Amino acid sequence: MTHPDPIQSPLFGQLQQALSQQGLPQEYFDWGQQLLQRLDKPVQVMVIGYPGSGKSTVIDMMLGQSVICRHAAAIPAHITAPIIEVCYGPEARIEIEAPDGRTSWHPGTLAQTALPPDTVRLRQELPGTRLQTHSFVEISLSGSAEQNHNILQRAARHADVILWCSEGFTPAEQSLWATVPDAKKDHSFLVLTMADRQIMRGTLTSLLAGLDGFAAEQFLGVYPLAAVQAITAQTADHTVNAQLWQSSGGRQLARDVQKQVELGRASDVDQAEMLVRQFAPKVADQQWQQTPPAPKPDPTPQNTPTDAFLHTALDLLQGRARQMLAETDGAANADAILSTCMDTVKDLSKTLLASQNRSPQVQAALDGAQDGEELLILFQLERGEDAAIDAVTLLLQLKREIADDISQ
């Protein structure tokens, strides 16, 4: 299937150039290639569930318009294609794939188009800014138990964020979902798509209570959603009905999914910038200067204002990042990186503990540093390249969170 050219940032080209250098350690080259693939495409949000579970309606809600379903009709139109991709394109158009592999393009949206009943895959392209950072892929589980298991495993491998859509999340669904790798569950949401019906029946409270223990371990959260009302809240009278948008459950789900998208992309960008800074060629028109590492802050308790403590913490993280870059200088040493990351987080905790009158921002940074220290212990036990990458990503995330607190 043809795809529009990706919207690439200058960082993409800089990373390509950095990876072209001779003598680059293999582990850094492999890491950089993975980052190039991720930067080359939007964050992928997989919307998965059985037929009739409200997947298309959830995507329409996230888009703020009726793209897949005709929600104004008495009965929303259901599309039987097992895979529907919604992504960025210069104009609204659809690609239809037949069972024999032939494809055809049609203008407009799926909600406006009559589709062949044997369609095996649909691709909806839409202009606008919403889909420039992430795309949606709807996966329908309509086969046997074994087929659904295999489809889910393949989908999970390619997903950055997963939304499992269901009316009641039955024991059969729970067993199927339990096979998803834990790393993917950390970026997944359980969406109860017909919460309005459950409320009318008086069963929503008991359903949520029954799912509480399982869902807490298997998902980031459970989101009861009256999806049609959420779409109405955004499209009626061309204005957003804030009260209906919130009461439908749409506002919270959309905000939390967007946060996952932003966190995923920010982590990729931070890691790519680190590689570029270390390995980009030092040519005349590019000055990649490394400043000396910041000195360790004095952990002696002081009555320093909140912003001063946060700035000190941020300077510490930035200085240590530059120090790691200077020390590695092309020689990858996972154990040394893990050790430096652990020392950095310990020093960060000491710095923040020095505040006698802690603000909520300082306390949040301290909690993050202490949680990070526990994670780094696990990383040190695992050792190796992957653990070192996770450790550096953790420091970058702490740095970003503190910087966000300072800017507020």
Side-chain angles (χ1 to χ4, degrees):
M1 301 179 77
T2 57
H3 293 248
D5 293 333
I7 300 173
Q8 295 177 352
S9 69
L11 181 61
F12 183 90
Q14 293 167 3
L15 182 56
Q16 277 186 318
Q17 190 178 22
L19 296 178
S20 68
Q21 302 303 295
Q22 292 187 355
L24 186 70
Q26 185 63 42
E27 51 266 50
Y28 280 111
F29 179 81
D30 294 340
W31 178 18
Q33 288 295 329
Q34 293 176 11
L35 287 171
L36 277 178
Q37 292 178 10
R38 294 180 63 83
L39 292 172
D40 193 32
K41 65 178 184 179
V43 174
Q44 197 157 75
V45 181
M46 293 279 188
V47 184
I48 303 174
Y50 292 124
S53 59
K55 302 181 296 298
S56 297
T57 307
V58 168
I59 293 176
D60 280 357
M61 184 210 78
M62 300 295 290
L63 295 171
Q65 57 181 308
S66 296
V67 173
I68 303 177
C69 295
R70 296 188 294 273
H71 300 285
I75 301 177
H78 293 294
I79 297 172
T80 57
I83 301 176
I84 303 173
E85 183 180 2
V86 183
C87 60
Y88 174 80
E91 59 184 359
R93 62 174 187 166
I94 309 159
E95 186 180 27
I96 301 174
E97 183 176 344
D100 61 5
R102 289 185 298 176
T103 62
S104 58
W105 286 97
H106 305 267
T109 65
L110 293 168
Q112 303 165 336
T113 306
L115 301 169
D118 59 349
T119 300
V120 298
R121 185 181 180 103
L122 294 165
R123 178 184 176 87
Q124 172 74 69
E125 294 184 0
L126 291 171
T129 58
R130 291 199 186 198
L131 292 170
Q132 290 186 357
T133 57
H134 58 285
S135 62
F136 295 96
V137 179
E138 177 182 326
I139 304 291
S140 187
L141 303 174
S142 55
S144 65
E146 182 178 0
Q147 289 173 329
N148 289 341
H149 169 78
N150 292 335
I151 291 170
L152 179 59
Q153 295 304 311
R154 288 198 299 270
R157 282 197 297 270
H158 295 285
D160 297 304
V161 180
I162 300 177
L163 278 62
W164 181 281
C165 296
S166 175
E167 182 172 0
F169 200 52
T170 64
E173 291 176 89
Q174 295 178 30
S175 296
L176 182 58
W177 176 256
T179 65
V180 172
D182 289 341
K184 299 295 182 177
K185 293 175 182 176
D186 292 340
H187 306 281
S188 300
F189 302 80
L190 173 57
V191 185
L192 301 176
T193 51
M194 300 169 194
D196 49 338
R197 297 184 189 180
Q198 299 281 3
I199 291 173
M200 291 177 65
R201 297 172 190 155
T203 58
L204 181 60
T205 301
S206 59
L207 173 62
L208 292 173
L211 294 174
D212 184 56
F214 180 85
E217 296 179 356
Q218 300 286 320
F219 295 96
L220 277 173
V222 181
Y223 293 77
L225 178 70
V228 175
Q229 286 87 332
I231 294 173
T232 302
Q234 299 179 83
T235 58
D237 301 324
H238 304 289
T239 59
V240 176
N241 183 327
Q243 183 175 358
L244 182 58
W245 179 226
Q246 180 164 345
S247 64
S248 68
R251 179 176 177 271
Q252 188 67 45
L253 176 61
R255 184 171 62 183
D256 290 353
V257 170
Q258 182 63 34
K259 182 178 180 180
Q260 282 297 307
V261 168
E262 292 171 354
L263 287 174
R265 180 57 76 207
S267 176
D268 293 340
V269 169
D270 282 342
Q271 293 178 54
E273 287 178 343
M274 180 178 178
L275 281 175
V276 167
R277 187 179 182 90
Q278 173 65 10
F279 295 111
K282 280 76 170 174
V283 295
D285 59 343
Q286 284 183 311
Q287 299 298 320
W288 300 94
Q289 298 179 351
Q290 294 176 341
T291 57
K296 288 187 179 182
D298 183 1
T300 305
Q302 301 174 15
N303 291 321
T304 308
T306 294
D307 59 345
F309 270 100
L310 292 178
H311 277 293
T312 301
L314 186 59
D315 289 343
L316 169 66
L317 291 173
Q318 290 173 333
R320 292 298 173 80
R322 289 191 289 265
Q323 179 183 353
M324 279 193 291
L325 291 174
E327 290 175 350
T328 55
D329 196 22
N333 187 326
D335 289 342
I337 291 174
L338 286 166
S339 178
T340 300
C341 289
M342 175 60 84
D343 291 342
T344 300
V345 171
K346 287 181 176 179
D347 288 339
L348 178 63
S349 295
K350 291 177 183 178
T351 299
L352 295 168
L353 281 168
S355 174
Q356 294 180 341
N357 301 311
R358 291 187 202 121
S359 68
Q361 293 90 342
V362 171
Q363 185 61 51
L366 177 59
D367 292 341
Q370 292 174 338
D371 290 343
E373 190 171 340
E374 294 177 2
L375 284 173
L376 282 167
I377 292 173
L378 297 177
F379 295 157
Q380 286 186 318
L381 292 174
E382 294 173 4
R383 304 183 66 178
E385 173 196 347
D386 290 341
I389 291 173
D390 289 340
V392 173
T393 302
L394 173 63
L395 288 190
L396 293 170
Q397 183 60 39
L398 288 172
K399 171 176 164 291
R400 180 176 295 276
E401 290 174 355
I402 292 173
D404 287 345
D405 283 337
I406 290 174
S407 64
Q408 291 176 357

